[in-house]
Amino acid sequence: MVSTKMDKSPADLLASPGLASLLKSLKLKTKQQELLIRVSILCLVYVLAFITRLFSVLRYESMIHEFDPYFNYRVTQYLTQKGFYEFWNWFDSESWYPLGRIIGGTLYPGLMVTAALIYWILRFLRFAVHIREVCVLTAPFFASNTTLVAYFFGKELWDSGAGLVAAALIAICPGYISRSVAGSYDNEGVAIFALLLTFYLFVKAVNTGSLAWALASAFGYFYMVSAWGGYVFIINLIPLYVLVLLITGRYSMRLYVAYNSMYVLGMLLAMQIRFVGFQHVQSGEHMAAMGVFFLMQVFYFLDWVKYLLNDPKKFHTFLRITVTSAVGLGVIALGVGTASGYISPWTGRFYSLLDPTYAKDHIPIIASVSEHQPTAWSSFMFDFHILLLLFPAGLYFCFKRLSDATIFIVMYGLTSMYFAGVMVRLILVATPAVCLISAIAVSATIKNLTQLVRAKGKPNPVGPGKGTSGTKASSKGSPDQSMPFQRNGAIALLLGVFYLLTRYAVHCTWVTSEAYSSPSIVLAARGAHGNRVIFDDYREAYFWLRQNTPPDAKVMSWWDYGYQITAMGNRTVIVDNNTWNNTHIATVGRAMSSYEDEAYEIMRSLDVDYVLVVFGGVTGYSSDDINKFLWMVRIGGGVFPVIKEPDYLVNGEYRVDKGAAPKMLNCLMYKLSYYRFGELTTEYGKPPGYDRARGVEIGNKDIKLEHLEEAFTTSNWIIRIYKVKPPNNRW
Amino acid sequence: MAAIILSLLVLSLSLFTVISSSSLPGLQILQAERQIDLTSHIVRVYLTLKVENIEDDPASTVLLAFPPAQFDRLALVKAAVTVGKKRKKSYVPLEVNPTEQPSSPNGTKYYAISLLKPLLKGETTTLEILYILTHSLEPFPVEISQSDSQLVYYHDSAIILSPYHIKQQATLVKTPSNKVESFTQVEPTHRSGNELRYGPFEDEHPYSYFPIIIHFENNNPFAVVEELEREIEVSHWGSVQVTEHYKLAHAGAKHKGVFSRVEYQSRPAASGVSSFKHLLAELPPRVHSVYYRDDIGNISSSRLRTSSKKSELLIEPRYPLFGGWKATFVIGYGVPLQDFLFESAAGARYLNYSFGCPLADTVVDKLTIKVVLPEGSQNPSVEVPFAIEQSLETKYSYLDVIGRTVVVLEKKNVVPEHNVPFQVHYKFNPIFMLAEPLMLAAAFFLFFITCVAYLHIDLSLRK
């Protein structure tokens, strides 16, 4: 394609002395027109993907959202200030007091390094940007890049039309936007780009058998490993795909080259990430890839033997022996490895993916996170909208035109849809597959329909096709004369498709602006006069901590707020969102659910200076600590059997009013949340001490604190900070 | 307690008078009147002196004496002379400079006021003097709880410290309210309402001193900006961008113990009376794109009112400031270039902007002003009506190659009275304005050229 243009254009430019010929030379050929349209659509989609994610910046401000992104932001700041080596060797004493955390060895550095690189490049080009702006816009920028990858992937799978539709669909798909709005500075933001890029490069490598593409996909895989723990999905899906190809008899040299070079180089590169390291060859989650790697060698060997033997009967015997011994060897190796502890078993997170009920029974800390809950049908509809209907249609088209590439996308789609059903947050992983498969459906349908419309209009189907017409079209060309309303039907169907796509665009924009663009740090509500009321209590409290407490103060709070306290409050925390030490979290849960004097002992042993609780009783903010309290009890009780969940329940019911369990009414969390709340009238016509988040009058209004004192409460009471008093003098 | 203090004071007074034999002859003060305004945390002292030359030599300067402790807290000394008779009375400002004297008892420090014309023998003149003291109200008790109100000490002398003989003098002290816990009694002392009068005293010798302590209630916001950095960036494309970094603190009595939101909300009159919730910043008129934020993001509680004369920005820190609490924040805004940049001679321009802190009633401990001149400006020079420290820096901003010249001005102890215009003169060739757009255009041109080139070159190995 490049060379054909090379023939034309210089000649055109040279032979244009007259105005007429100049105009003629400006007139584009059909192919050039198509290219121009394609490039401009892609550019528009690129820009669209970026700007649709800016709602949050316009509604609120350029800020980091949620919880985890604050850690990433803090680490990025550290990286840009102190350089890469300091970052890599950073021992963070501000979290997990008194244990600390080795940052370089316990995170996926891809996101931070990416943002820092963008920052350094911009700085080098003398753009005086702040690192915060870079972090806020990293996710939209990568979302834009993902649309480009989606285009090329779609082109590889089907044709360029499907690629364009895929790019457009993924640009605004809520399932992806939920994790990539401006300010959502999280690993997923770049990881989805890396995931799709790796898959695309791998499929390209399988299609071409080219070593270059395979190596490129290894590097894509390396980037993915550096960015997100979800790389495990790639390293299991690709072997599975290869296995399916092997079973269906689609083994080829292309596949051999692609998989082996990708696996070997990808493995070596992935082991450079400290957090992964030798896990990549030792842990159970990675064994499938290794097994398939060896299987590939066996296949190759068999191929060679088959070529040498030339006798089907002998070969069959040989095949049986080899396969049996190979599989047997593999099983023995796996068994010995597992038994000797050389191969580590699957982690709880992996189990909970395969068995959705596992976490609920065994790992309450995973089950307590709302984004780890099984997905409801409504959220599928919310995140995918019409794609949910187009997805099966796309699968139909894929099966109809089965190739190595379409088999891949079908497998990717089906597995990721399963995982999306297990955990809400994994809808994100399914989104690119759903978009691509739906794009195939849309593109194929529209193409068929337009052909029908055009063919009827022009009896001669050889006329110059424009835009979507391809070679396949003319072969199917001549319409069936027996269907008189075919053309009208096609037009009606086309209109229907456009209507659906329009509804999709409207839905996506609405979801983005209403549901996914709230930073969750700043809460907004409608006032009595329709005006916007802002509750900025989180930052009020964190900034108070930052300015008015000793720099070495230790703050105890539930782990949800750990990252935010260290990033915004700049104070040491006991536990944070990197939930690596269950016992430590259970200790905090135990302190929160004990009586004050017992809790005081625990807090003294942890050197706690301040306790922070989140309380929504005044504003009606429902995701506060009282509503999370049962999880604290469960997690605390999981390690310390002193804490028993039934003590906090009355007939299996969780209450905070007069009928609540006595232990509930006197535990630390209750006391800290409701201290002096009984004096406050929150709502007109209700008694004082009326909890608006739970809609009840609280049961214990006369709360006395012995070992703690109120240090700060924010203006809407959402955050309450208490100071732990030093022990009384004994004499 | 009070009696002991009093006796100590009398003792020190007697010591003082013994030592202070070396006076400066030449002038005497016929009448002195002093008004000490203690209503805010900035102490303003208005002094009216009627000076007479009693010797043959004409006197061209009048000395003001300060005890060393007070001298360190002086933010500003201003003097003016009254010219004309009653109806056409007007004030002419005089030059005031700190000086050293060879024999200064007890480390007394001096300011010299230069008179308009030398005072001949027997002539008199009346001087109006204003000096401002910061950090001079000492909270006692040092720590208070939320329900207490704030009490402070003020130390001074009942008799004006002066190197000259003062024939007649009186001192009037104004406190913010009637609530005065105690004050040093010196005959004659008279107290009515929120005013306290010492004097009149007759024929006091040079360097007479009588220490007094006033202990009174002052619940005014003790807003102190510990550090303020103002960056004024001039762009010849039509705007002056100002960014101000504040480190604000409540310098009053430290908050002790509990902060109870219930009490703060339900009993605003009795709880946290010495704390403050908001501050008023006065910005230039026609201000635009104002923002108010801190390290962790925008602070939503601010209001801007604009009129043709001035703009007022009411800012509320994230939390109310109690004694000892701190808050840092940034205020930024843009103002139109033509309001502040003027042309003087050919090619020379000057920026005329106001010095000092735009927040009302605050003290700035350390003020740094950075004037960022456009890239390519030369020969910067500064005109400020008081002593400051100056230096030059280079800053790189958007698309800068050689960097922008930054004029750095530093001053300690700044009060609202320092809000006077200052000028920065520099030379600038307008051709430099085109440098950045041309650079951008060139970059895009190169990009497209490479694109075209790439499309027309076949890089593949195979033919």
Side-chain angles (χ1 to χ4, degrees):
Chain A
M1 194 166 144
V2 173
S3 57
T4 54
K5 228 182 293 153
M6 192 188 136
D7 299 334
K8 274 179 243 159
S9 308
D12 282 358
L13 286 172
L14 286 173
S16 56
L19 190 71
S21 57
L22 185 83
L23 276 175
K24 201 176 258 174
S25 74
L26 275 177
K27 201 178 171 195
L28 297 164
K29 306 271 180 320
T30 312
K31 208 160 193 181
Q32 286 173 319
Q33 277 181 346
E34 198 245 332
L35 180 76
L36 185 67
I37 290 172
R38 201 158 12 118
V39 168
S40 35
I41 288 177
L42 264 185
C43 287
L44 285 176
V45 168
Y46 192 86
V47 174
L48 172 73
F50 194 83
I51 57 174
T52 193
R53 287 166 167 80
L54 297 184
F55 271 111
S56 59
V57 173
L58 298 178
R59 290 271 165 79
Y60 296 90
E61 56 182 284
S62 160
M63 67 183 296
I64 309 287
H65 293 189
E66 303 271 345
F67 302 102
D68 287 19
Y70 269 96
F71 169 74
N72 301 332
Y73 175 53
R74 174 165 165 254
V75 174
T76 315
Q77 269 182 318
Y78 191 89
L79 172 61
T80 52
Q81 283 161 10
K82 307 232 166 140
F84 186 75
Y85 284 100
E86 280 283 312
F87 157 75
W88 206 228
N89 296 320
W90 183 17
F91 178 80
D92 179 22
S93 56
E94 283 204 349
S95 55
W96 294 93
Y97 183 86
L99 310 169
R101 174 181 176 191
I102 302 157
I103 297 283
T106 55
L107 54 41
Y108 294 101
L111 176 75
M112 299 87 183
V113 174
T114 308
L117 270 180
I118 297 176
Y119 174 72
W120 283 323
I121 290 171
L122 286 176
R123 280 271 153 174
F124 175 74
L125 295 174
R126 292 273 188 276
F127 287 96
V129 289
H130 192 274
I131 181 68
R132 190 193 58 246
E133 316 290 352
V134 176
C135 292
V136 165
L137 297 180
T138 298
F141 172 64
F142 272 88
S144 289
N145 295 340
T146 309
T147 62
L148 290 189
V149 179
Y151 164 72
F152 286 110
F153 204 172
K155 200 174 155 196
E156 194 64 31
L157 291 171
W158 203 256
D159 57 14
S160 60
L164 279 182
V165 178
L169 289 181
I170 204 169
I172 54 171
C173 184
Y176 185 25
I177 283 182
S178 67
R179 289 302 179 129
S180 63
V181 291
S184 166
Y185 179 56
D186 211 346
N187 291 339
E188 290 93 328
V190 299
I192 290 305
F193 165 76
L195 178 95
L196 204 59
L197 184 69
T198 313
F199 284 157
Y200 161 64
L201 292 172
F202 185 73
V203 168
K204 187 95 184 171
V206 172
N207 275 352
T208 56
S210 141
L211 195 60
W213 287 113
L215 295 187
S217 87
F219 279 101
Y221 176 65
F222 172 59
Y223 187 54
M224 176 69 188
V225 174
S226 76
W228 194 33
Y231 77 90
V232 176
F233 179 58
I234 298 186
I235 203 62
N236 282 300
L237 178 64
I238 287 183
L240 191 68
Y241 162 65
V242 172
L243 199 66
V244 167
L245 286 192
L246 292 183
I247 289 168
T248 51
R250 282 172 170 268
Y251 170 77
S252 65
M253 202 55 204
R254 293 176 286 118
L255 186 67
Y256 183 81
V257 170
Y259 182 72
N260 286 330
S261 34
M262 188 266 168
Y263 175 67
V264 173
L265 187 68
M267 176 181 69
L268 289 176
L269 286 171
M271 285 167 73
Q272 308 310 310
I273 305 295
R274 271 170 73 195
F275 196 23
V276 178
F278 279 99
Q279 269 184 48
H280 207 284
V281 286
Q282 286 189 345
S283 87
E285 291 109 345
H286 301 79
M287 282 303 121
M290 194 181 270
V292 169
F293 172 71
F294 287 122
L295 201 64
M296 287 292 275
Q297 313 313 320
V298 172
F299 252 77
Y300 188 70
F301 175 69
L302 288 174
D303 235 27
W304 180 64
V305 170
K306 191 180 178 185
Y307 166 75
L308 285 183
L309 278 178
N310 258 337
D311 179 3
K313 207 171 179 193
K314 269 187 191 167
F315 175 68
H316 263 281
T317 335
F318 184 75
L319 182 76
R320 206 170 299 137
I321 296 167
T322 335
V323 168
T324 322
S325 54
V327 168
L329 258 178
V331 169
I332 290 168
L334 196 71
V336 168
T338 316
S340 64
Y342 190 72
I343 297 171
S344 62
W346 287 351
T347 58
R349 275 168 200 266
F350 201 71
Y351 268 122
S352 58
L353 272 183
L354 300 179
D355 174 11
T357 55
Y358 181 80
K360 211 169 191 181
D361 302 332
H362 296 92
I363 326 166
I365 208 149
I366 290 183
S368 75
V369 180
S370 63
E371 61 182 20
H372 290 165
Q373 305 302 322
T375 316
W377 270 107
S378 57
S379 53
F380 270 119
M381 199 58 205
F382 199 64
D383 279 356
F384 289 140
H385 200 238
I386 59 158
L387 302 188
L388 213 54
L389 304 174
L390 293 173
F391 180 68
L395 285 180
Y396 163 75
F397 280 105
C398 285
F399 276 114
K400 223 175 138 192
R401 204 175 101 185
L402 217 54
S403 67
D404 289 356
T406 45
I407 289 178
F408 180 82
I409 197 68
V410 166
M411 290 192 55
Y412 174 25
L414 291 178
T415 47
S416 63
M417 269 311 240
Y418 169 72
F419 290 129
V422 174
M423 265 191 200
V424 177
R425 66 187 289 200
L426 293 181
I427 283 192
L428 177 74
V429 177
T431 305
V434 172
C435 285
L436 280 164
I437 293 175
S438 308
I440 290 172
V442 172
S443 174
T445 314
I446 291 184
K447 191 183 263 174
N448 291 346
L449 292 174
T450 39
Q451 270 159 22
L452 284 180
V453 173
R454 292 167 67 87
K456 190 78 181 175
K458 275 187 213 123
N460 184 10
V462 198
K466 197 184 155 194
T468 49
S469 79
T471 44
K472 208 174 154 234
S474 48
S475 65
K476 268 170 96 182
S478 57
D480 197 352
Q481 296 297 325
S482 61
M483 289 177 138
F485 299 114
Q486 199 175 34
R487 187 161 176 254
N488 292 339
I491 289 173
L493 281 175
L494 261 185
L495 286 177
V497 170
F498 282 123
Y499 175 75
L500 276 181
L501 289 176
T502 323
R503 292 311 306 171
Y504 174 70
V506 169
H507 171 83
C508 290
T509 318
W510 175 78
V511 168
T512 312
S513 86
E514 292 296 318
Y516 291 140
S517 293
S518 153
S520 92
I521 291 283
V522 183
L523 312 167
R526 292 260 162 244
H529 309 289
N531 52 328
R532 192 150 163 262
V533 186
I534 293 225
F535 298 122
D536 205 354
D537 286 41
Y538 277 101
R539 289 193 294 184
E540 182 182 342
Y542 296 145
F543 207 64
W544 183 87
L545 274 178
R546 188 190 186 110
Q547 298 280 333
N548 301 312
T549 55
D552 61 344
K554 286 101 195 162
V555 184
M556 182 175 92
S557 72
W558 191 233
W559 59 264
D560 295 18
Y561 317 107
Y563 278 165
Q564 291 180 350
I565 294 171
T566 35
M568 285 196 271
N570 200 15
R571 291 294 174 268
T572 307
V573 293
I574 307 293
V575 290
D576 67 23
N577 309 46
N578 176 38
T579 51
W580 65 277
N581 189 328
N582 190 34
T583 316
H584 219 48
I585 291 179
T587 313
V588 172
R590 182 185 173 189
M592 291 296 190
S593 31
S594 303
Y595 293 124
E596 193 189 346
D597 42 352
E598 289 162 14
Y600 185 63
E601 291 300 315
I602 299 171
M603 292 190 291
R604 289 284 304 157
S605 69
L606 287 172
D607 278 356
V608 175
D609 297 305
Y610 291 91
V611 184
L612 183 148
V613 293
V614 175
F615 172 62
V618 177
T619 47
Y621 172 59
S622 61
S623 52
D624 66 349
D625 277 347
I626 288 287
N627 281 358
K628 292 176 184 170
F629 182 61
L630 273 189
W631 286 111
M632 300 182 203
V633 173
R634 268 172 220 158
I635 292 169
V639 176
F640 303 101
V642 198
I643 306 293
K644 294 184 199 68
E645 194 179 332
D647 291 352
Y648 300 86
L649 303 175
V650 177
N651 301 328
E653 204 186 339
Y654 181 60
R655 331 173 45 161
V656 294
D657 58 359
K658 276 205 176 61
K663 181 128 194 195
M664 177 73 207
L665 290 178
N666 288 298
C667 69
L668 186 70
M669 178 51 76
Y670 192 94
K671 277 181 143 183
L672 297 189
S673 289
Y674 291 119
Y675 179 64
R676 299 197 71 175
F677 181 65
E679 298 168 35
L680 190 76
T681 310
T682 51
E683 211 166 305
Y684 181 73
K686 293 281 196 291
Y690 178 75
D691 184 335
R692 292 176 69 185
R694 282 151 288 271
V696 289
E697 188 185 346
I698 59 166
N700 185 356
K701 286 190 190 174
D702 184 33
I703 294 170
K704 296 264 186 309
L705 289 175
E706 193 184 341
H707 302 291
L708 294 114
E709 64 181 20
E710 189 179 0
F712 187 71
T713 298
T714 57
S715 45
N716 300 303
W717 291 58
I718 291 181
I719 299 219
R720 311 197 69 184
I721 300 172
Y722 292 84
K723 190 176 193 303
V724 180
K725 287 193 211 164
N728 288 330
N729 285 339
R730 266 172 230 183
W731 292 287
Chain B
M1 177 75 183
I4 299 168
I5 292 176
L6 196 68
S7 60
L8 273 173
L9 291 179
V10 171
L11 190 71
S12 60
L13 169 76
S14 52
L15 276 173
F16 220 121
T17 41
V18 169
I19 299 160
S20 60
S21 53
S22 62
S23 72
L24 278 168
L27 295 176
Q28 75 164 345
I29 294 167
L30 296 177
Q31 202 176 14
E33 216 171 283
R34 183 170 59 160
Q35 262 194 46
I36 304 175
D37 183 0
L38 301 178
T39 47
S40 80
H41 68 127
I42 304 170
V43 178
R44 291 184 174 83
V45 183
Y46 302 91
L47 196 60
T48 312
L49 299 179
K50 197 172 177 193
V51 187
E52 185 191 18
N53 192 354
I54 47 171
E55 283 203 357
D56 295 338
D57 298 341
S60 57
T61 58
V62 177
L63 291 181
L64 287 177
F66 294 98
Q70 221 172 47
F71 185 83
D72 295 338
R73 291 166 181 162
L74 267 178
L76 182 80
V77 182
K78 266 173 150 183
V81 67
T82 45
V83 178
K85 294 284 175 220
K86 283 193 174 162
R87 279 292 172 86
K88 291 175 182 171
K89 213 160 131 182
S90 66
Y91 294 97
V92 179
L94 299 174
E95 203 178 310
V96 188
N97 288 308
T99 54
E100 298 275 324
Q101 287 294 318
S103 58
S104 51
N106 287 13
T108 310
K109 305 278 186 163
Y110 300 91
Y111 269 92
I113 303 169
S114 316
L115 297 175
L116 284 177
K117 55 178 193 287
L119 211 59
L120 300 176
K121 185 180 178 183
E123 273 186 338
T124 62
T125 184
T126 308
L127 300 175
E128 297 284 345
I129 296 150
L130 161 70
Y131 62 89
I132 297 175
L133 298 167
T134 58
H135 298 284
S136 296
L137 300 182
E138 180 197 331
F140 189 85
V142 179
E143 289 190 331
I144 54 172
S145 69
Q146 193 179 344
S147 52
D148 297 338
S149 69
Q150 176 172 271
L151 299 172
V152 292
Y153 278 141
Y154 176 69
H155 301 259
D156 207 334
S157 162
I159 301 162
I160 300 164
L161 184 70
S162 171
Y164 309 113
H165 185 89
I166 304 178
K167 282 207 150 165
Q168 199 183 32
Q169 61 170 305
T171 294
L172 186 73
V173 182
K174 244 174 111 177
T175 54
S177 68
N178 297 345
K179 288 179 192 151
V180 178
E181 288 284 301
S182 68
F183 57 94
T184 314
Q185 289 275 358
V186 184
E187 276 310 315
T189 308
H190 175 72
R191 187 193 153 197
S192 67
N194 61 347
E195 289 191 350
L196 193 62
R197 191 177 189 88
Y198 286 100
F201 304 105
E202 309 256 326
D203 278 329
E204 290 294 339
H205 291 288
Y207 298 111
S208 302
Y209 195 81
F210 193 97
I212 50 168
I213 297 179
I214 306 167
H215 192 200
F216 61 98
E217 185 190 74
N218 190 338
N219 283 325
N220 280 303
F222 277 43
V224 172
V225 182
E226 290 175 337
E227 265 180 60
L228 169 59
E229 193 186 302
R230 307 180 76 195
E231 192 180 90
I232 301 163
E233 191 167 337
V234 181
S235 159
H236 278 229
W237 289 98
S239 155
V240 177
Q241 187 65 38
V242 185
T243 318
E244 297 169 346
H245 297 262
Y246 289 87
K247 263 191 195 170
L248 183 73
H250 187 301
K254 296 241 181 310
H255 177 70
K256 173 179 74 178
V258 176
F259 166 72
S260 170
R261 182 61 77 169
V262 171
E263 280 179 17
Y264 187 75
Q265 275 173 344
S266 56
R267 283 182 281 278
S271 163
V273 278
S274 68
S275 69
F276 57 93
K277 247 181 144 167
H278 41 68
L279 290 167
L280 192 71
E282 198 173 298
L283 305 180
R286 306 216 283 151
V287 66
H288 63 83
S289 24
V290 182
Y291 62 86
Y292 169 47
R293 54 174 296 130
D294 59 26
D295 292 345
I296 61 171
N298 179 52
I299 308 171
S300 48
S301 43
S302 63
R303 243 174 301 138
L304 180 71
R305 243 171 296 157
T306 50
S307 69
S308 58
K309 293 267 175 60
K310 62 179 177 188
S311 314
E312 279 182 334
L313 179 69
L314 189 78
I315 54 171
E316 228 175 272
R318 291 194 185 273
Y319 40 83
L321 279 176
F322 279 76
W325 288 12
K326 288 175 185 183
T328 56
F329 54 87
V330 181
I331 300 178
Y333 49 91
V335 284
L337 186 73
Q338 65 265 31
D339 294 6
F340 297 96
L341 193 77
F342 306 95
E343 263 183 79
S344 50
R349 289 136 210 273
Y350 68 92
L351 173 83
N352 186 37
Y353 207 80
S354 111
F355 200 86
C357 165
L359 291 184
D361 241 3
T362 46
V363 174
V364 182
D365 287 348
K366 188 183 168 203
L367 171 68
T368 314
I369 296 189
K370 292 186 172 177
V371 182
V372 184
L373 299 175
E375 199 177 22
S377 27
Q378 286 161 330
N379 303 334
S381 66
V382 187
E383 258 181 60
V384 190
F386 29 77
I388 44 147
E389 279 175 46
Q390 266 190 52
S391 55
L392 285 181
E393 270 179 13
T394 312
K395 186 197 170 192
Y396 293 93
S397 183
Y398 286 97
L399 300 174
D400 285 350
V401 179
I402 51 170
R404 304 183 185 197
T405 315
V406 183
V407 183
V408 184
L409 313 174
E410 275 183 43
K411 178 158 176 55
K412 295 210 162 98
N413 221 351
V414 178
V415 288
E417 275 76 5
H418 283 115
N419 280 352
V420 288
F422 72 100
Q423 290 82 34
V424 179
H425 297 261
Y426 63 96
K427 286 205 159 128
F428 181 74
N429 193 343
I431 203 84
F432 278 106
M433 281 169 69
L434 290 176
E436 285 169 6
L438 285 179
M439 258 165 55
L440 270 184
F444 274 104
F445 184 69
L446 273 177
F447 173 71
F448 288 126
I449 288 287
T450 34
C451 281
V452 169
Y454 173 76
L455 284 177
H456 287 88
I457 294 169
D458 191 359
L459 287 172
S460 65
L461 293 173
R462 266 174 296 177
K463 279 288 156 192

